[in-house]
């Protein structure tokens, strides 16, 4: 079954194609985004709007770069900061700090107009290369799979959310791959822009969220 990814960002689509067993089709639509400090709320709102636009089951992704020294900034404002301040200057600002730790956090949000089963409790899990995902997620104040039905906009369509987080460090730009903040985000001695898409996926916030989404789709589609 084809799954439709509503996003303006082809880099995200490439990553989803590496991960999901199902064929992924991009619907290039700039979904309106609410302003919120809560990535889950932004993603849920985005998924509902995308579903209403597409008229078919869809998923969206919302992600941001959270710099520890700036209490998480740019976080949910990453897109705006990327287009205004720019990646190079985010590096320069961070280079003045002693603490250059940061994390990418992301949420994959799925909406098909239906209700979802009750959400299981978070479980300890490893990624496909044996990394302990739960250890990274514990420090990042994310929760595991969730269903959201109300984000202050009344009786809203249910949205299923899958979170992912990866800790790293802000460094001077290196590498030509990836997109967005990838050149300044270092994980295990390499920036995300120095990794192939499958290498980035194996450790990234999006890869982690997509892994949970893929597991859920597979379970749901098993008779
Ligand atoms: P859509 O909303 O259309 O999906 P977008 O690129 O605007 O695409 P986001 O709002 O989720 O996506 O992204 C916020 C910013 O964070 C944006 O500047 C992205 O380039 C950046 N970003 C998101 N995921 C990233 C990743 O895996 N690597 C590097 N930068 C990323």
């Amino acid at each position: 079954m084809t799954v439709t990814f509503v996003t303006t960002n082809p880099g995200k689509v490439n990553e989803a194609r590496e991960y999901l067993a199902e064929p992924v089709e991009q619907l290039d639509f700039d979904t309106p985004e609410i302003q919120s400090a809560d990535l889950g709320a932004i993603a849920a709102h985005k998924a509902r709007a995308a579903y209403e636009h597409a008229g078919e089951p869809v998923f969206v992704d919302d992600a941001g770069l959270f710099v520890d020294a700036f209490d998480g900034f740019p976080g949910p404002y990453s897109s705006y900061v990327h287009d205004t301040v720019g990646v190079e200057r985010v590096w320069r600002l961070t280079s003045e700090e002693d603490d250059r730790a940061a994390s990418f956090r992301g949420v994959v949000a799925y909406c098909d107009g239906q209700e979802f089963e009750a959400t299981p409790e978070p479980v300890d899990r490893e990624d496909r290369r044996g990394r302990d995902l739960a250890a990274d997620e514990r420090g990042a104040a994310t929760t595991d799979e969730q269903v959201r039905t109300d984000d202050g906009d009344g009786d809203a369509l249910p949205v299923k959310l899958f979170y992912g987080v990866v800790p790293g460090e802000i460094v001077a730009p290196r590498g030509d791959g990836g997109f967005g903040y990838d050149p300044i985000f270092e994980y295990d001695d390499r920036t995300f822009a120095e990794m192939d898409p499958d290498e980035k996926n194996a450790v990234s916030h999006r890869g982690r969220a997509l892994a949970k989404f893929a597991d859920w789709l597979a379970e749901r589609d098993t008779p």
Side-chain angles (χ1 to χ4, degrees), residues 5-9 12 15 29-31 33 46 60-65 75-80 82-83 104-105 178-183 192 200 204-206:
F5 190 175
V6 182
T7 176
T8 58
N9 186 330
K12 289 185 178 180
E15 292 180 11
F29 173 63
D30 196 5
T31 316
E33 281 187 28
K46 206 165 159 180
V60 300
D61 168 287
D62 202 73
L65 177 71
Y77 308 105
S78 294
S79 191
Y80 183 63
H82 178 269
D83 296 345
F104 266 125
R105 300 182 198 183
F179 62 91
Y181 296 96
D182 282 344
F192 273 2
K200 176 183 167 187
S204 77
H205 54 306
R206 185 164 302 99

Side-chain angles (χ1 to χ4, degrees), residues 128-144:
R128 294 181 183 192
R129 298 200 177 163
R131 278 187 53 90
D132 178 3
L133 297 190
D136 288 339
E137 290 176 10
R138 272 194 289 274
T142 59
T143 40
D144 211 316

Side-chain angles (χ1 to χ4, degrees), residues 114-136:
Q114 310 290 317
E115 301 285 333
F116 300 104
E117 304 240 325
T119 311
E121 284 298 304
V123 286
D124 278 0
R125 49 182 300 141
E126 291 182 342
D127 73 5
R128 294 181 183 192
R129 298 200 177 163
R131 278 187 53 90
D132 178 3
L133 297 190
D136 288 339

